[in-house]
Amino acid sequence: MPARPLPAVPATEIQGAANARAAGVVAGPPVSSLRIDAARARAALTAFRLSCPTLVRRTDASGLTTQDEWKPACDAAQRFTGSDAATFFATWFETAQIGTGAALATGYFEPEIAASLHKRAGYDVPIYRRPPDLIEADLGQFSDSLRGKKVRGRVEGSALVPYYDRGQIEDGALAGRGLELAWAADPVELFFLQIQGSGRLRLPDGTIVRIGYDSQNGRDYTGIGALMRERGLLQPGQASMQGIMAWLRANPAEGDALMRENKSWVFFRTLTGAGPLGALGLPVTGRVSAAADPAFVPLGAPVFLSLDRTDAAGLWVAQDTGGAIKGANRFDTFWGAGPEARATAGGMSARGTAFLLLPKGSLARMGR
């Protein structure tokens, strides 16, 4: 259902800023004034507790918080036994708006695709594990001016060169190396599973195997939906994941070429136990966890999204990242698994205002 987002605090945003602190931070409304659903608050508190061990030891790339600032709220979360979780957040947190606060929220889910652990008739699309020659270099170790920047590639002779892109991998750059984790039945389904970052493989005997992200080839992510809109390939109302998939299947040759324009390729590993796992190495929860850019949101922090869609509005916890989720106030909400999650996430595009929940005192330290 449509909804009316809360107005943002009047502010300007510094374009091209490297992180949230540089983009501009202003105080938002009191947490107690936000309409936080009681059930969502309880679920968010559970997710926040899981994130706390990381929050108190991880350097915050956003520049908004210090490890010590999270400790009081995290300690209180472990002790909290009441049913009114919204009061917990109002007691220990204050809101901050990054730049103009203008938020865009999309959705993702845990897809389930048909696959086989062995190549066989009808299952011939390789799902690759991380190759041993894929190297990740932290450029900050070489220059302070490159702090926070990383590249992935492979060694060729004495040089570090870009890793194989999607087209090269589909043409067999990794074939014959024993890297196949499984074989998918449908290249379009695998393409979208890579976008989601994790999923379930439904084997021919009905067994379910869960797989999760285990690195990426270092090539830039290109959203094919935007390309299709620019080229007039989608009719009004077709811009959802379902509409894009239908076009790709109806136009297999053009669709294959279009998918190759997204040079990014994701490698997977088999998961056991709870999942899927987010960027913190923790299980993500449907209707609770969201992906964000860690340069603009402390990973593990609660976020209140006031959006023009009621299903996506409310309290979320930033526990994941995504190749397309970059910049201030950009979020990808996680909806779980199953047909309903697929339908909601595939058509999710909501706009409004984002308020980060930071430990009380953070704004004062920043002079805000």
Side-chain angles (χ1 to χ4, degrees):
M1 292 180 60
R4 179 176 295 179
L6 292 172
V9 178
T12 57
E13 184 173 317
I14 299 174
Q15 298 300 315
N19 65 9
R21 184 76 177 271
V25 185
V26 295
V31 176
S32 59
S33 72
L34 304 177
R35 295 180 179 177
I36 298 178
D37 176 80
R40 290 280 291 270
R42 290 193 292 272
L45 177 56
T46 299
F48 175 70
R49 282 194 187 107
L50 287 176
S51 300
C52 272
T54 300
L55 280 166
V56 298
R57 68 171 186 268
R58 183 187 181 102
T59 300
D60 179 7
S62 74
L64 298 174
T65 62
T66 66
Q67 297 165 346
D68 290 344
E69 285 171 339
W70 288 104
K71 192 173 187 309
C74 284
D75 288 346
Q78 300 303 324
R79 297 192 304 266
F80 187 83
T81 58
S83 60
D84 187 4
T87 296
F88 165 81
F89 288 106
T91 301
W92 292 98
F93 291 90
E94 57 194 7
T95 68
Q97 177 183 299
I98 308 305
T100 63
L104 169 61
T106 49
Y108 72 113
F109 68 107
E110 186 182 19
E112 182 178 300
I113 71 171
S116 171
L117 298 182
H118 306 284
K119 189 175 183 180
R120 57 197 290 178
Y123 299 88
D124 55 5
V125 184
I127 303 171
Y128 287 114
R129 58 174 53 88
R130 178 175 179 158
D133 62 340
L134 176 63
I135 294 173
E136 181 174 295
D138 181 352
L139 299 182
Q141 295 182 349
F142 299 88
S143 171
D144 289 342
S145 64
L146 298 174
R147 191 179 304 278
K149 296 184 181 296
K150 296 180 180 180
V151 296
R152 295 187 181 97
R154 60 188 176 87
V155 175
E156 190 173 273
S158 60
L160 180 65
V161 300
Y163 207 76
Y164 304 113
D165 66 19
R166 175 174 296 276
Q168 292 169 317
I169 291 173
E170 290 183 348
D171 287 340
L174 299 181
R177 296 172 55 180
L179 296 171
E180 294 85 359
L181 193 66
W183 300 83
D186 184 345
V188 175
E189 291 282 1
L190 176 58
F191 180 84
F192 279 89
L193 188 149
Q194 289 187 323
I195 293 174
Q196 302 303 318
S198 62
R200 303 177 183 189
L201 306 182
R202 186 179 66 256
L203 305 184
D205 65 358
T207 301
I208 298 296
V209 174
R210 176 176 272 144
I211 61 173
Y213 176 94
D214 196 29
S215 197
Q216 183 259 3
N217 63 346
R219 300 302 187 106
D220 290 340
Y221 173 86
T222 299
I224 66 170
L227 295 180
M228 296 172 76
R229 288 191 295 272
E230 292 170 3
R231 298 169 188 176
L233 300 177
L234 296 175
Q235 301 301 315
Q238 284 188 312
S240 66
M241 181 191 73
Q242 293 85 346
I244 294 171
M245 293 179 80
W247 190 96
L248 294 173
R249 291 199 172 100
N251 303 273
E254 298 91 335
D256 179 67
L258 189 64
M259 288 188 289
R260 286 182 176 221
E261 292 192 53
N262 176 23
K263 297 182 184 297
S264 172
W265 182 279
V266 171
F267 301 104
F268 294 99
R269 62 187 175 95
T270 302
L271 299 179
T272 57
L277 302 181
L280 294 177
L282 303 170
V284 290
T285 306
R287 299 176 183 264
V288 176
S289 302
D293 186 339
F296 292 88
V297 180
L299 284 189
V303 180
F304 187 83
L305 299 180
S306 181
L307 303 170
D308 57 8
R309 286 184 54 154
T310 55
D311 52 357
L315 194 61
W316 297 83
V317 181
Q319 293 182 302
D320 206 358
T321 59
I325 312 305
K326 299 298 182 184
N329 305 305
R330 178 70 173 92
F331 299 92
D332 205 20
T333 53
F334 179 62
W335 294 88
E340 183 180 352
R342 182 187 182 109
T344 301
M348 177 57 61
S349 180
R351 295 183 181 274
T353 309
F355 298 109
L356 307 188
L357 270 62
L358 304 181
K360 283 188 174 179
S362 302
L363 290 169
R365 175 185 49 78
M366 290 186 283
R368 303 294 190 269

